[in-house]
Amino acid sequence: MSQIAFIGLGNMGAPMALNLLKAGHSLRVYDLSAAAMDKLASAGAQCASSAADAVVEAEVVISMLPASRHVEALYFGAKNSPGILGLIADDALVLDCSTIAPQTAIQLASAAAERGLSLLDAPVSGGTAGAAAGTLTFMVGGLLNDLERARPILSAMGKNIFHAGSYGAGQTAKICNNMLLGILMAGTAEALALGVANGLDAHVLSDIMRQSSGRNWALELYNPCPGVMDNVPASRGYSGGFGVDLMLKDLGLAAESARTVQAAVPLGELARNLYALHSQQGAGALDFSSIYSLLAPKTEG
């Protein structure tokens, strides 16, 4: 079993860390939230006083942070806070599971290589339910032999592990996946809202579409209409899950990537504009399936 430093205990990171504990690994965790660390401590993890403290004697370092700027600050440092890249043991394995710009992942991998460190970009798909169940999909960029070294760790948190290619390829795969997810969720919400506006029952319409050509992941496993499906954010006030602002960030990464290679992503841009409007109306912290509330028919009174 490995001595693991786990940095970033949000909606995804916390259940991933818990699954590593269940698999028998020793964890030293750090997050800006004391409550998040306390929860992991109650499950058997050690709490570090800082990110630098977390990586002391770690054989594996895992980061799960919101955006590129957070990853850059963690590893390279920011203002008066030094980065942890120079503090990680020479033979350690570094896994960044955040969703960030591919170029940032490449820069981090290059800096790690200069130190002789093995580093993989390994963003995930599967949502908070997949994180809790240990059934995440990992999209990995980096050297194949490093992936084989990481596989026992990743297998404790996920069910599907794909080698997407060299450094940054995992991030590119994740950006493509999440752009499609944003499009599918917006389209699913729009279709359900149209049916409801015409007097259809959302349960019945969902059942019809699940057995028809409109079936998709958002409809079948993450229905955005309140009350249609249990144990999804839509049935708990859109709390938890994958935030609107995180989806907006990922759609922005897709647009940036498209501009870099001069690719056309018109539907991705439309989805990004919808989520930007939704965020501007105060929904940034809600689950991304709350896009239904932007499109749903408004009741009078």
Side-chain angles (χ1 to χ4, degrees), residues 42-63:
S42 67
Q46 292 180 304
C47 292
S49 60
S50 65
D53 181 40
V55 303
V56 173
E57 298 183 355
E59 299 170 283
V60 180
V61 175
I62 301 175
S63 50

Side-chain angles (χ1 to χ4, degrees), residues 79-104:
K79 295 183 179 179
N80 297 324
S81 176
I84 65 169
L85 195 60
L87 305 176
I88 299 171
D90 291 342
D91 58 349
L93 174 65
V94 182
L95 307 175
D96 180 43
C97 297
S98 318
T99 298
I100 60 176
Q103 190 56 41
T104 300

Side-chain angles (χ1 to χ4, degrees), residues 1-300:
M1 297 294 103
S2 299
Q3 174 65 45
I4 300 173
F6 201 111
I7 301 168
L9 304 172
N11 289 335
M12 294 293 291
M16 290 167 66
L18 284 170
N19 281 326
L20 289 170
L21 285 171
K22 292 174 185 177
H25 297 288
S26 177
L27 254 66
R28 190 167 175 82
V29 299
Y30 180 71
D31 191 272
L32 294 177
S33 168
M37 287 199 292
D38 288 344
K39 183 177 180 180
L40 265 294
S42 67
Q46 292 180 304
C47 292
S49 60
S50 65
D53 181 40
V55 303
V56 173
E57 298 183 355
E59 299 170 283
V60 180
V61 175
I62 301 175
S63 50
M64 186 60 162
L65 301 175
S68 295
R69 67 181 185 278
H70 303 106
V71 172
E72 291 169 350
L74 173 67
Y75 288 100
F76 299 135
K79 295 183 179 179
N80 297 324
S81 176
I84 65 169
L85 195 60
L87 305 176
I88 299 171
D90 291 342
D91 58 349
L93 174 65
V94 182
L95 307 175
D96 180 43
C97 297
S98 318
T99 298
I100 60 176
Q103 190 56 41
T104 300
I106 293 169
Q107 291 170 352
L108 179 57
S110 177
E114 289 179 3
R115 275 222 48 221
L117 295 172
S118 298
L119 183 143
L120 298 170
D121 51 280
V124 304
S125 179
T128 52
T135 58
L136 292 171
T137 293
F138 284 90
M139 309 164 206
V140 182
L143 300 180
L144 186 56
N145 61 331
D146 289 336
L147 171 55
E148 293 310 311
R149 182 183 170 192
R151 193 174 293 276
I153 303 295
L154 298 177
S155 295
M157 301 180 286
K159 184 177 180 180
N160 304 297
I161 302 169
F162 293 97
H163 185 224
S166 189
Y167 301 114
Q171 297 297 343
T172 298
K174 176 62 187 293
I175 288 168
C176 293
N177 179 81
N178 275 27
M179 182 183 73
L180 179 58
L181 175 60
I183 293 167
L184 288 174
M185 183 58 78
T188 297
E190 188 173 45
L192 287 170
L194 176 62
V196 170
N198 278 279
L200 294 183
D201 183 287
H203 293 80
V204 174
L205 180 56
S206 294
D207 288 342
I208 291 170
M209 294 196 296
R210 275 196 292 265
Q211 300 302 321
S212 304
S213 55
R215 65 184 303 186
N216 65 78
W217 184 90
L219 177 71
E220 296 181 68
L221 300 178
Y222 213 87
N223 197 292
C225 185
V228 171
M229 186 176 292
D230 294 331
N231 301 316
V232 296
S235 293
R236 53 174 187 265
Y238 297 110
S239 62
F242 184 60
V244 166
D245 282 347
L246 290 176
M247 174 54 78
L248 181 57
K249 180 260 296 185
D250 288 358
L251 290 167
L253 289 174
E256 179 183 331
S257 177
R259 286 192 294 270
T260 299
V261 297
Q262 296 184 331
V265 288
L267 293 179
E269 289 282 16
L270 285 172
R272 184 168 73 97
N273 288 336
L274 277 174
Y275 276 99
L277 176 61
H278 194 36
S279 177
Q280 289 164 8
Q281 293 184 353
L286 299 179
D287 182 76
F288 82 110
S289 62
S290 66
I291 195 71
Y292 177 83
S293 65
L294 180 71
L295 303 167
K298 304 298 186 287
T299 58
E300 297 182 0

